[in-house]
Amino acid sequence: MNLSLDEQYWTSRYLQNQIGWDVGQATFPIKQYLDQIVNKDLKVLIPGAGNAHEATYAFESGFKNLHILDLSKYPLDKFMEKHPNFPASNVHQEDFFLHNGKYDLIIEQTFFCALLPNLRNEYVIKMHQLLEKEGVLMGVLFSKSFEQDGPPFGGDIDLYKSIFENHFEIKTLEPCYNSIPPRKGAEVFILLKKKEI
Ligand SMILES: C[S@@+](CC[C@H](N)C(=O)[O-])C[C@H]1O[C@@H](n2cnc3c(N)ncnc32)[C@H](O)[C@@H]1O
């Protein structure tokens, strides 16, 4: 595949409003997981956040130590316009793979599927590096293949198990029971705890 999935590519998708992945709000699986967290001081990262609906939900639910990151400045600026009280220093316009930090929880929502498949092992290693001891990677991944060349790029449970299991204790990796209707039967929920290696 010759397509370069760089900042320019993603920004042009936003400018042309070709953002079919954006469901306009945080999805149920992520909302439900966040709802049962009592400690709102957890340091949370949302990489490839785009319009960052999960961040809106978490912020409005009282999470204080929330960080969003995206290659593209466009959606991050829009987010800040809507949420002027959100700390600007927690908004990172940066390549995920170059980001430094340590987080208790990282939220995955249509970021993994946006990356070229040859970056998947690097994604796993970077997630592991960005998490605190016993930190958690939580979210949803597509469990289907796509006919056209991606993004999005698909996958399945066996593939995800094989790429995550060396770096993460797999707490949950199973079909998602509470996907939003258009993604029903096409997602897995992941709850992966950082392994000490
Ligand atoms: C499919 S969109 C998903 C956006 C958002 N998570 C959502 O569900 O609406 C993928 C996002 O990842 C961002 N992205 C792609 N590669 C990235 C990278 N290497 N580092 C940071 N962000 C990246 C894109 O700019 C885009 O906003």
Side-chain angles (χ1 to χ4, degrees), residues 162-177:
S162 71
I163 61 172
F164 284 110
E165 68 186 355
N166 288 338
H167 290 77
F168 288 88
E169 191 187 323
I170 297 180
K171 296 289 199 190
T172 312
L173 171 50
E174 56 193 40
C176 191
Y177 72 88

Side-chain angles (χ1 to χ4, degrees), residues 5-7 9-11 13-14 19 21-25 27 46-54 69-73 75 92-98 107-115 119 151-152 183:
L5 300 180
D6 55 9
E7 198 261 326
Y9 168 84
W10 289 106
T11 298
R13 295 284 302 247
Y14 285 103
I19 54 169
W21 60 78
D22 188 318
V23 296
Q25 58 176 307
T27 59
I46 307 176
N51 286 318
H53 303 297
E54 297 71 32
L69 179 149
D70 205 286
L71 262 186
S72 175
K73 190 169 179 297
H92 309 273
Q93 190 218 335
E94 197 178 7
D95 185 336
F96 166 74
F97 295 101
L98 301 179
I107 298 177
E108 166 56 53
Q109 170 74 64
T110 51
F111 174 50
F112 178 92
C113 69
L115 298 171
L119 291 173
R183 295 185 186 165

Side-chain angles (χ1 to χ4, degrees), residues 95-99 111-112 115-130 137 163-164 167-168:
D95 185 336
F96 166 74
F97 295 101
L98 301 179
H99 181 62
F111 174 50
F112 178 92
L115 298 171
L116 288 169
N118 64 9
L119 291 173
R120 289 180 169 185
N121 287 331
E122 233 180 289
Y123 167 103
V124 173
I125 291 166
K126 188 66 191 175
M127 285 294 184
H128 185 269
Q129 190 188 98
L130 288 173
L137 171 62
I163 61 172
F164 284 110
H167 290 77
F168 288 88

Side-chain angles (χ1 to χ4, degrees), residues 133-150:
K133 189 169 192 279
E134 306 204 331
V136 165
L137 171 62
M138 176 280 299
V140 282
L141 298 173
F142 280 118
S143 57
K144 62 179 279 191
S145 27
F146 294 91
E147 271 163 33
Q148 78 286 13
D149 239 358

